[in-house]
Amino acid sequence: MSDTKPYIPESLQHIAIIMDGNGRWAQKRGKKRVMGHKAGMERAREMAEYCGEQGIKVLTLFVFSSENWKRPPEEVSFLMDLFATSLKNESKKLHKNNVKLIVIGDKSGFDKRLQKAIDKAEDLTKDNDGLLLQIAANYGGRWDIAQAATQLAQAGITEISEEMLSDKMVTAGINEPDLMIRTGGEKRISNFLIWQTAYSELYFSDALWPDFDSLELQTAIDDFAKRQRRFGQTGEQIS
Ligand code: FPP
């Protein structure tokens, strides 16, 4: 590997990832699907390390959608255990690396043990000012918009601006994703940050998530670096 420093464009502050393909990765190897999630967890850790080292400000990982409860109960239960164990095992290291961890999503859907593990990890890392690692768990983009609108309705507000809604989303105050990556070959957003990715650059990789290493991530970043983001303007206005 070359020892030149990877190029990270200044405009790339927030990366969001849909980590798809764990089940297929395991099945291809004759293993149970859940073993893919275990391997996927290792990759998630590698991505957080890489983003932290490269000075990315925010990494948002989609670990469990509001719709994933429909999976077979044993897979759901494995994912919940993996989540709780990972929070317990990784939070000290994240703290040491100055990472601030927050869980975005409907935490009330988790059992008390998991809620406690989340609170503990968030509390331990709350003052860190390195990478912000947002774990989207029991998260759905439509849920996020609805809960933001509910808060405004409860406050008696009927004239709703885009800013007012953004300020009530679970990502309030955080820069929107500049780059959204989906692995696993599918090309859809699956109710991830549907409001916040309105102007994100999208990158789809055929690699199954446990095969998506930091070199693959850098390839996605290099691709992002070539894009011209116009935000509604013309190319001439931008250049
Ligand atoms: C999608 O792959 C992946 C998930 C639903 C779970 C993502 C979880 C991890 C990467 C592990 C980290 C987890 C925690 C809880 C910290 P899939 O199962 O849909 O794969 P497939 O499309 O091949 O079936």
Side-chain angles (χ1 to χ4, degrees):
M1 201 160 76
S2 118
D3 50 26
T4 50
K5 203 169 156 17
Y7 173 63
I8 311 289
E10 239 174 77
S11 58
L12 181 58
Q13 307 247 320
H14 182 173
I15 301 178
I17 311 183
I18 301 176
M19 307 177 290
D20 194 16
N22 292 345
R24 279 167 287 159
W25 181 90
Q27 283 162 336
K28 257 173 64 181
R29 286 162 178 76
K31 296 181 183 180
K32 289 194 175 147
R33 290 178 49 82
V34 295
M35 297 319 287
H37 295 315
K38 213 167 156 214
M41 173 59 215
E42 297 302 318
R43 282 301 183 210
R45 187 207 326 230
E46 180 183 335
M47 289 306 127
E49 274 173 18
Y50 189 75
C51 287
E53 282 162 14
Q54 301 307 326
I56 300 289
K57 298 272 184 299
V58 188
L59 173 66
T60 304
L61 299 177
F62 203 12
V63 304
F64 194 84
S65 77
S66 330
E67 292 75 33
N68 285 152
W69 297 106
K70 296 180 204 152
R71 293 194 169 205
E74 54 283 5
E75 184 168 337
V76 171
S77 151
F78 183 93
L79 279 166
M80 292 301 132
D81 283 346
L82 180 64
F83 191 17
T85 315
S86 309
L87 284 167
K88 230 166 116 191
N89 294 345
E90 300 296 329
S91 47
K92 277 203 189 102
K93 187 152 183 236
L94 291 172
H95 183 46
K96 211 176 116 224
N97 289 337
N98 197 23
V99 174
K100 176 174 175 167
L101 177 141
I102 63 168
V103 172
I104 56 170
D106 184 2
K107 292 179 231 178
S108 69
F110 297 129
D111 68 26
K112 289 278 170 282
R113 181 183 71 115
L114 183 48
Q115 288 187 32
K116 234 170 127 179
I118 293 171
D119 289 346
K120 223 171 142 186
E122 287 184 336
D123 193 55
L124 176 70
T125 61
K126 68 178 187 311
D127 296 322
N128 293 339
D129 58 4
L131 175 75
L132 172 65
L133 177 60
Q134 300 195 109
I135 303 292
N138 198 17
Y139 179 86
R142 290 177 177 174
W143 164 82
D144 197 4
I145 295 167
Q147 69 78 26
T150 303
Q151 289 188 57
L152 294 172
Q154 283 169 345
I157 299 167
T158 50
E159 289 270 325
I160 297 174
S161 67
E162 294 177 13
E163 287 72 24
M164 286 156 96
L165 260 183
S166 290
D167 286 347
K168 296 293 180 197
M169 309 283 257
V170 289
T171 49
I174 308 301
N175 283 353
E176 291 176 351
D178 301 296
L179 171 63
M180 184 165 86
I181 298 172
R182 181 177 187 136
T183 63
E186 311 285 5
K187 294 183 178 63
R188 54 178 172 259
I189 297 180
S190 299
N191 199 18
F192 193 27
L193 301 158
I194 52 177
W195 175 274
Q196 297 88 337
T197 52
Y199 273 102
S200 303
E201 294 298 322
L202 307 180
Y203 181 89
F204 298 100
S205 165
D206 286 333
L208 302 174
W209 175 250
D211 291 328
F212 193 85
D213 59 12
S214 45
L215 277 178
E216 297 268 6
L217 176 61
Q218 187 58 46
T219 304
I221 294 173
D222 293 343
D223 190 81
F224 171 87
K226 289 188 229 136
R227 313 256 183 115
Q228 185 189 51
R229 302 182 76 191
R230 293 197 284 277
F231 299 99
Q233 291 185 287
T234 65
E236 290 71 30
Q237 285 175 303
I238 301 292
S239 54

